[in-house]
Amino acid sequence: GLILLFYLVFYGFLAALFTFTMWVMLQTLSSDIPKYRDRISSPGLMISPKPDTALEFYFNKSDSQSYAEYVSTLRKFLESYDDSKQSQNINCTPGRIFDQNEVAVKKACRFNLSELGQCSGKEDDTFGYSKGTPCVLVKMNRIIGLKPEGEPRIQCTSKEEGMVEINYFPPEGLIDLMYFPYYGKSLHAHYLQPLVAVQLAINSNSTKEEIAIECKILGSPNLKNEDDRDKFLGRIAFKVQMTE
Amino acid sequence: IQDDHKLSTLELEEKYGTSINKGLSSARAAEILARDGPNSLTPPKATPEIVKFLKQMVGGFSILLWIGAVFSWISFGIQLAQGAESPFDNLYLGVVLALVVILTGIFAYYQEAKSTNIMASFSKMIPQQALVIRDAEKKELSADQLVVGDIVEIKGGDRIPADIRLIFSQGCKVDNSSLTGESEPQPRSCDFTHENPLETRNIAFYSTTCVEGTATGIVINTGDRTVIGRIASLASRVGNEKTPIAIEIEHFVYLVAGVAISIGVLFFIISVSMRYKILDSIIFLIGIIVANVPEGLLATVTVSLSLTAKRMAKKNCLVKNLEAVETLGSTSIICSDKTGTLTQNRMTVAHLWFDNQIYSADTSEDQTTQPFDQSSPSWTALSKIVTLCNRAEFRPGQENFPIMKRVVVGDASETALLKFAEVILGDVMNIRARNKKVAEIPFNSTNKFQLSIHETDDPNDKRFLLVMKGAPERILERCSTIMINGKEEPLDSEKAEAFQTAYMELGGMGERVLGFCHLYLPENEFPDTYPFDTDSMNFPTSNLCFVGLLSMIDPPRSTVPDAVSKCRSAGIKVIMVTGDHPITAKAIAKSVGIISATSETVEDIAKRLNIPVEQVNRREATAAVVNGMELKDMSLQQLDEILCNHSEIVFARTSPQQKLVIVEGCQRQGAVVAVTGDGVNDSPALKKADIGIAMGIAGSDAAKNAADMVLLDDNFASIVTGVEEGRLIFDNLKKTIAYTLTKNIAELCPFLIYIIASIPMPIGTITILFIDLGTDIIPSVALAYEKAESDIMNRRPRNKKKDRLVNEQLAVYSYLQIGIMQSVGAFVTYFTVYAEQGFLPSTLLGVRVDWENNAINDFEDSYGQEWTKYQRMYLQWTGYTAFFVSITIQQVADLIIRKTRRNSIFQQGLFRNKVIWVGIFSQIGIALILTYGLGHVTALNFTPLRFQYWFVAVPFAVLIWVYDEVRKLFIRRYPGSWWDKNMYY
């Protein structure tokens, strides 16, 4: 009896103490930006759609079921880029870092879906999958305060030459500097990260073969793309196999 | 047993095909040697080294860790087959676990081998030589070449090389103490005197020594077939009992393993029912086992024990078996030898009687003067007799040694008298030279006196001085006068009565009494040319003048009474077991305090009340002196009754075989028994005892082999220091274990919360191993240097059944209180690290599956930033490091609170044990090296850590300290209360 009471009091005290110290610790944090960002100094690359099986696309261009999931993922992903959702976003000056340090309310820059051209889903609602020219969107991870230098652009290569022709939207895979820096979820609520669409025009005699694609971020000295350990830092590799 | 002792010489020659004059032929001897083997004792069968080594590999926690390793390899195999991304982690983990087992096993094996090696030096003896007649020639042979039928010659000082039937003897005496325990030398002749070959005088036994005289005999038994050999093989058959500490450690291992397995299985079931994959559940199981098992602890215990063993070796207790260190501390009964252990093993003059008065002499080991009144002219006369009527001499060339340490040629009593005279008068040899000896009759057993006639050193006194000493009653018979204050007075009945009283009193003290008398021969009857003839005795041997008595005893070592009283206050019963006469035994027992001044035996009570012994209420007698003869006829029950009812017991006239019976009797009472012994025949008792203690100087090799411990100085007081060390190490091991167990909870909780709340893993398995085998090792050894909290020699010996090394309170306090506090502190650090990098605690709950998904490289934190898998892993390792650092910091507090169990740290002193500080600095140093030095080695999962995270857990460390001080305060304030019962470990 007494022993149970003792432990009740003892653990009650410890729980209170834990809660209190956690509360104190949380008080020292800002709700806008994390205290330290040294663990993510350089952004990773990611693609959409992201297949469940480790970054490998398998589909039959004549079987709409085989790519339906990719298409719906893309559509869902692009929903937030719809013009109707971007009514509050402003048109920023291209080619320049959009510094808003002094401004209390941070504005988000408009990203026009039309920039994605054939991969915007407006002309082809299967994003090219039905034509054998599948689109993959490449995005750069959001990192608060990151200001890329130079002219960052996405460039993809295929190891197997001649199997695939790669087109970029916007042209040359450029990422505009005006989308940086990012000010964080709470300050920068409507922020949209810039996208680069990669359209893979698969050679008709290369069907049934697995094509390995690697995309890298180039043209910016402060964005790493060759880390030994982190295979997704400024680069991403995926495979595509299309049948007819 | 043979009847060689009954055979005549001729029959023996025939039986063994030998000749007394020519001996065996070399060829024949070689044949027999080939048949019987060498004349040496077969050493006890040693366990093969590889078996010892393998035992270390599977003992203790090793099995659990092997299971962990095998599971790791299994999951590695499965993951490899499934083509997972990083299956090698589990392979490495398995290898690391196996390495941990193998390395700790090698370490334990090495420690054990080291302590065995100390003993190996003992068994290396200088090969013994024997003088043998072979091929009709005398030859020196190595004793192990002897065969049955060899004719050997022995002389005083030799060790008997085999069992020998004597065929010729001249004044031969043997010391059979190693066989029978009787220290009195026994005469040996060629005559068949007893049916029992062990009692008859014409057989000398292997390994006994010839004290004086010479003899020739036929070898009748060699090697293991000798009487000693048979006893030695009996000893090896007496089973070895498990030591108390081994039992305690086993108990502790079961407890911890039980906790590990039950928590492991419980969470295996929980994780399976929470729909974790079986493979994941197995990996959790490994983590839980690794977190629960204190990998470094058994090595720490071994080191602590060997540190104590080293300390004890400095105090003359050489420990053969490491675990025996603690056994001594739990000892509740010590069965001690008398001669050499409790006593100095040399006759010393204890009392004098002259001028109708008894004087006491100083019997301490390092006497340089004698304090008694030496002004009386009677003493001058007595001292002259003592000096002159003595054949003992110092070996030359020892002038620089203290008198008591000089080697003397002569028997024990004469040696005592010589040293006594040398201490008081100085340069006895010179006095003898000045008082030239003209005639002498040595002591013999028929006339029981010794006599010599001297010229005097006074040039004006031309008389001869006749001096005589011997058995007091025989000396008195020859006297007509007695010297009182330098004057000769007639010996009337009153004075004879006074002599009788003194003689009885000294004899009653167990002392050997000698009488001294003299006579100045009238100058006219005995001119300086008088031809003294000792055969016809042409001089007076009666009507002499009685001068005084001297009594001698083998006195107790001066440190022994104090040691015995220490034992008494420590609740240890000291039982004397000796081959000596009961009166001597009782006298020594009284003088060292084994029988205290106020207690009485049944016989004493009977004498005091003047009633027959049978009418005495046996319960009233606290002391008992039991004769070996009585013991022989006693039933086990009667023996138990004696051991139970009397607190002060002396066994006299016991044979070493009876020692075994006594030891077993004590063990039946539930006691932990320590036994001292030196003879070969003691070895069964030494082996049977919980801790056998052999004498380093007087001990035989067989005794040293059977014993767990060797007293290098043969001194009983060394046992007591050993007891103190043993008790201290038990207390300190408790502290070490409490210290080590505490952080197991802080290592375990992360796994449990990881499974239940699905947060990112707070601490890695490898990191845990770095705590258990890295930062924690030196501090836990440092606790072995902790001083005792209170006088441990005022406590009763621990109760084997109740006072466990690891009791419920210890486990509960470490696991459920301090351990939980540590976990809370470590989790606060963990959450702080994640929150300050962008993952608030609320974000972390339930993220495990996505967090660990290799395909998700845009994992969003609480601030909208996105993380790749590797960035998350790196953060996770930072979390490991932070958790590790917090545990380390709080273990510093844990180390400090474990210094004491009852007293405040401030009573104990923070800085008295310097090694603790070495431990603290090593702990922090290792943590610094791991985080900042090895922070870039990916496989170790450490990362450089922001400096402030070292201090997050500091308030919790302080809290642990304060809480424990409060706990101790309440324990001291309210002894026996609910708090005391539940919180004192």
Side-chain angles (χ1 to χ4, degrees), chain B residues 263-283:
Chain B
I263 295 183
V265 168
L266 179 71
F267 274 83
F268 184 77
I269 294 168
I270 289 178
S271 47
V272 168
S273 57
M274 282 175 74
R275 295 167 191 262
Y276 281 96
K277 279 185 267 173
I278 297 285
L279 190 64
D280 286 342
S281 307
I282 289 177
I283 294 172

Side-chain angles (χ1 to χ4, degrees), chain B residues 491-526:
Chain B
L491 184 63
D492 51 25
S493 61
E494 189 191 332
K495 296 202 171 77
E497 185 78 6
F499 160 87
Q500 276 304 334
T501 321
Y503 182 27
M504 290 305 288
E505 189 174 343
L506 295 177
M509 287 191 276
E511 295 176 7
R512 183 187 295 171
V513 191
L514 287 177
F516 294 82
C517 63
H518 73 189
L519 183 69
Y520 281 96
L521 302 178
E523 198 182 344
N524 46 3
E525 277 179 60
F526 301 94

Side-chain angles (χ1 to χ4, degrees), chain B residues 807-963:
Chain B
N807 52 21
E808 196 196 350
Q809 287 90 335
L810 185 148
V812 165
Y813 183 67
S814 302
Y815 275 152
L816 296 185
Q817 297 185 28
I818 303 297
I820 297 286
M821 285 162 102
Q822 281 196 349
S823 311
V824 171
F827 265 107
V828 168
T829 318
Y830 162 86
F831 281 120
T832 307
V833 167
Y834 276 82
E836 294 192 340
Q837 291 288 352
F839 291 95
L840 297 181
S842 50
T843 324
L844 288 177
L845 298 179
V847 296
R848 190 191 70 90
V849 177
D850 285 348
W851 181 275
E852 290 175 357
N853 189 336
N854 285 320
I856 297 180
N857 282 290
D858 52 353
F859 190 93
E860 198 177 317
D861 67 15
S862 316
Y863 293 88
Q865 308 187 93
E866 291 166 321
W867 297 63
T868 65
K869 171 73 196 300
Y870 185 80
Q871 285 166 337
R872 293 198 303 273
M873 281 315 293
Y874 198 76
L875 177 59
Q876 187 173 322
W877 295 337
T878 312
Y880 289 0
T881 314
F883 213 96
F884 162 82
V885 164
S886 303
I887 292 181
T888 308
I889 294 292
Q890 292 178 91
Q891 278 293 82
V892 172
D894 192 24
L895 182 63
I896 290 172
I897 67 168
R898 300 303 182 180
K899 279 166 67 79
T900 59
R901 293 184 296 145
R902 176 183 290 275
N903 287 354
S904 162
I905 295 300
F906 302 103
Q907 282 169 289
Q908 182 81 351
L910 253 180
F911 300 99
R912 249 176 57 194
N913 180 357
K914 304 275 186 304
V915 189
I916 287 279
W917 289 93
V918 174
I920 291 176
F921 286 123
S922 78
Q923 198 166 22
I924 294 172
I926 291 172
L928 282 171
I929 291 171
L930 285 174
T931 26
Y932 298 111
L934 301 175
H936 298 286
V937 184
T938 331
L940 300 183
N941 299 352
F942 281 98
T943 66
L945 193 69
R946 282 204 158 71
F947 203 61
Q948 72 259 31
Y949 293 137
W950 287 74
F951 301 97
V952 178
V954 167
F956 290 89
V958 173
L959 178 73
I960 287 174
W961 188 350
V962 171
Y963 176 68

Side-chain angles (χ1 to χ4, degrees), chain A:
Chain A
L2 202 50
I3 200 96
L4 280 179
L5 185 71
F6 170 80
Y7 279 103
L8 203 67
V9 172
F10 184 78
Y11 289 142
F13 168 73
L14 282 186
L17 185 73
F18 176 74
T19 319
F20 174 72
T21 40
M22 290 294 281
W23 179 79
V24 169
M25 185 269 290
L26 291 175
Q27 292 313 298
T28 66
L29 299 180
S30 142
S31 59
D32 301 333
I33 54 165
K35 195 163 181 178
Y36 302 115
R37 300 189 301 274
D38 57 327
R39 291 289 182 260
I40 37 171
S41 52
S42 193
L45 283 194
M46 203 51 200
I47 53 168
S48 181
K50 191 187 79 64
D52 288 338
T53 53
L55 300 180
E56 285 164 10
F57 294 84
Y58 297 102
F59 67 96
N60 186 333
K61 76 172 180 182
S62 14
D63 176 9
S64 66
Q65 271 306 306
S66 68
Y67 53 80
E69 207 185 321
Y70 303 144
V71 171
S72 70
T73 312
L74 277 172
R75 196 160 292 146
K76 210 168 172 194
F77 182 79
L78 289 176
E79 255 172 31
S80 54
Y81 287 83
D82 199 81
D83 286 346
S84 59
K85 297 268 170 71
Q86 295 205 50
S87 53
Q88 289 178 345
N89 294 4
I90 58 164
N91 290 316
C92 306
T93 327
R96 255 207 278 153
I97 295 281
F98 181 42
D99 206 320
Q100 308 179 71
N101 283 344
E102 315 300 322
V103 194
V105 183
K106 321 286 183 192
K107 297 278 186 191
C109 291
R110 184 183 299 266
F111 184 89
N112 261 328
L113 265 188
S114 56
E115 301 224 23
L116 297 182
Q118 294 173 20
C119 292
S120 64
K122 291 196 169 150
E123 296 153 32
D124 180 359
D125 58 3
T126 65
F127 297 93
Y129 282 83
S130 59
K131 293 177 187 152
T133 56
C135 284
V136 174
L137 296 177
V138 179
K139 67 182 176 92
M140 204 169 82
N141 280 351
R142 287 192 297 266
I143 291 174
I144 294 175
L146 177 76
K147 294 176 188 170
E149 294 159 8
E151 281 199 330
R153 62 192 169 86
I154 300 291
Q155 194 180 58
C156 301
T157 50
S158 162
K159 274 185 196 159
E160 295 82 5
E161 280 191 23
M163 285 187 179
V164 66
E165 193 184 317
I166 302 171
N167 291 313
Y168 304 94
F169 305 98
E172 289 170 46
L174 278 175
I175 296 174
D176 204 300
L177 292 181
M178 66 184 177
Y179 299 103
F180 301 95
Y182 173 53
Y183 286 98
K185 200 156 82 176
S186 66
L187 291 179
H188 220 162
H190 298 282
Y191 177 82
L192 289 172
Q193 63 207 103
L195 302 174
V196 172
V198 178
Q199 188 170 42
L200 308 166
I202 296 168
N203 205 319
S204 57
N205 48 25
S206 298
T207 50
K208 293 187 182 166
E209 294 206 37
E210 212 176 56
I211 305 165
I213 312 274
E214 193 188 39
C215 296
K216 275 188 180 179
I217 189 149
L218 294 174
S220 174
N222 68 338
L223 302 182
K224 290 184 199 149
N225 60 12
E226 275 180 339
D227 194 90
D228 285 340
R229 295 185 188 136
D230 195 344
K231 303 286 181 217
F232 292 88
L233 203 65
R235 58 180 160 162
I236 187 165
F238 56 93
K239 286 173 182 170
V240 181
Q241 188 179 32
M242 186 182 74
T243 49
E244 277 182 83

Side-chain angles (χ1 to χ4, degrees), chain B residues 338 347 504-513 551-554 581-588:
Chain B
K338 182 182 83 63
M347 276 296 175
M504 290 305 288
E505 189 174 343
L506 295 177
M509 287 191 276
E511 295 176 7
R512 183 187 295 171
V513 191
S551 67
M552 282 161 291
I553 198 164
D554 177 11
H581 197 274
I583 294 177
T584 320
K586 192 177 168 191
I588 292 292

